[in-house]
Amino acid sequence: MSGRSILVTAGASGIGRAIAELFHARGDRVIVCDVDQAALDSIAAALPGIVTSRTDVADPAAVAAMIDRVGPISVLINNAGVAGPIGGIETNDPDEWARCFAVNVHGAFHTIHAVAPAMRAAGEGAIINISTASTVTGLPGRSAYVASKWALEGLTRNVAREFGPAGIRVNAIRPGFMDTERMRGLMARAAERLQRPVAEVEAEALGYISMRTKIQPSEIGEMAWFLASDAARHITAQIIGVDGNAEWEG
């Protein structure tokens, strides 16, 4: 074991699980929190020694209680995020909008707030926030999601300035067109709405990515690993795209 403790929020499936699997395989103590108990049970069975916690990051008391249970965190990976309301902003439900920010932005604040004292005491630490390439391209019909991720990127840069003197690095990753079950579902729904084949809709989307490629969840894990490593010891306040260069979305 490396002696590091890694917390991955929403780490029981998708990108979060890929990140958790990679850090676990390389010897770190990994803690995964999620709201999906079945997914937590699945990852616990697959990765012996992993620590799981059913925690909603939007609840500050629950986050604080989790950190009290699991102890100091060396690397925090804020992966938790929800899609928020979909459609023109005038149709957005205010409660759905608020929930999007409660998870995507306030959730990151709650976890950073909870782990920061121990990181400061240790004189080191790494915080990695998972954003989206859609902050670069814009995405009509997804204003809550894009605005919340912009807020997360602003939080990343500002907290990096606050924490830099304490030796704590704060960066963000912008994933692109992910090869995940969630993205496949989004493509299927878009194809149904447009009355077009899924393959055609996917090909059109890939046409606006310079490298014409989907991104594997493990690639986000590798970037997170790098940013958490000594090789990145002087990298902070950076927003790094792992997206093949997303040019546009529609």
Side-chain angles (χ1 to χ4, degrees), residues 27-44:
D28 289 303
R29 174 180 180 249
V30 177
I31 301 103
V32 164
C33 77
D34 210 296
V35 294
D36 185 339
Q37 187 61 54
L40 286 168
D41 292 343
S42 172
I43 195 170

Side-chain angles (χ1 to χ4, degrees), residues 177-189:
F177 189 139
M178 298 303 302
D179 188 13
T180 60
E181 203 61 46
R182 179 172 176 269
M183 184 61 79
R184 285 188 283 276
L186 288 172
M187 287 292 103
R189 287 192 290 276

Side-chain angles (χ1 to χ4, degrees), residues 55-119:
T55 303
D56 181 354
V57 296
D59 181 345
V63 171
M66 172 181 64
I67 298 303
D68 284 344
R69 288 194 304 273
V70 304
I73 299 298
S74 311
V75 178
L76 167 64
I77 301 171
N78 277 315
N79 172 67
V82 296
I86 296 173
I89 195 166
E90 71 276 11
T91 70
N92 287 182
D93 179 84
D95 290 339
E96 290 183 20
W97 179 282
R99 175 62 181 170
C100 186
F101 276 78
V103 175
N104 299 7
V105 185
H106 304 161
F109 162 72
H110 298 321
T111 56
I112 292 169
H113 184 269
V115 306
M119 287 186 176

Side-chain angles (χ1 to χ4, degrees), residues 1 17 25 34 44-45 51 63 70 79 114 126 132-133 151 179-180 188 208 221 229 237 248:
M1 299 292 288
R17 179 160 179 157
D34 210 296
V51 178
V63 171
V70 304
N79 172 67
T132 175
D179 188 13
T180 60
Y208 292 102
S229 74
W248 185 84

Side-chain angles (χ1 to χ4, degrees), residues 19-248:
I19 294 170
E21 288 173 343
L22 187 146
F23 278 83
H24 180 268
R26 294 179 183 177
D28 289 303
R29 174 180 180 249
V30 177
I31 301 103
V32 164
C33 77
D34 210 296
V35 294
D36 185 339
Q37 187 61 54
L40 286 168
D41 292 343
S42 172
I43 195 170
L47 304 179
I50 199 167
V51 178
T52 63
S53 175
R54 189 172 186 274
T55 303
D56 181 354
V57 296
D59 181 345
V63 171
M66 172 181 64
I67 298 303
D68 284 344
R69 288 194 304 273
V70 304
I73 299 298
S74 311
V75 178
L76 167 64
I77 301 171
N78 277 315
N79 172 67
V82 296
I86 296 173
I89 195 166
E90 71 276 11
T91 70
N92 287 182
D93 179 84
D95 290 339
E96 290 183 20
W97 179 282
R99 175 62 181 170
C100 186
F101 276 78
V103 175
N104 299 7
V105 185
H106 304 161
F109 162 72
H110 298 321
T111 56
I112 292 169
H113 184 269
V115 306
M119 287 186 176
R120 283 189 182 277
E124 62 181 359
I127 297 169
I128 301 160
N129 297 322
I130 306 300
S131 183
T132 175
S134 296
T135 59
V136 178
T137 62
L139 187 54
R142 299 291 301 281
S143 290
Y145 182 71
V146 174
S148 69
K149 292 297 188 177
W150 264 115
L152 183 64
E153 292 184 6
L155 182 67
T156 299
R157 290 189 175 98
N158 212 68
V159 174
R161 288 193 63 181
E162 288 188 17
F163 286 2
I168 303 166
R169 298 176 292 106
V170 189
N171 295 288
I173 301 172
R174 287 174 174 159
F177 189 139
M178 298 303 302
D179 188 13
T180 60
E181 203 61 46
R182 179 172 176 269
M183 184 61 79
R184 285 188 283 276
L186 288 172
M187 287 292 103
R189 287 192 290 276
E192 182 178 0
R193 184 179 71 253
L194 297 168
Q195 294 296 294
R196 293 165 59 189
V198 172
E200 186 179 295
V201 173
E202 284 194 355
E204 183 174 314
L206 290 170
Y208 292 102
I209 296 171
S210 298
M211 298 188 75
R212 308 293 193 263
T213 186
K214 296 180 184 179
I215 304 301
Q216 299 302 314
S218 60
E219 295 179 72
I220 308 304
E222 290 288 359
M223 180 56 73
W225 172 265
F226 167 70
L227 290 172
S229 74
D230 286 343
R233 63 189 177 277
H234 294 141
I235 298 176
T236 194
Q238 302 305 303
I239 314 296
I240 301 173
V242 182
D243 62 358
N245 188 37
E247 303 167 8
W248 185 84

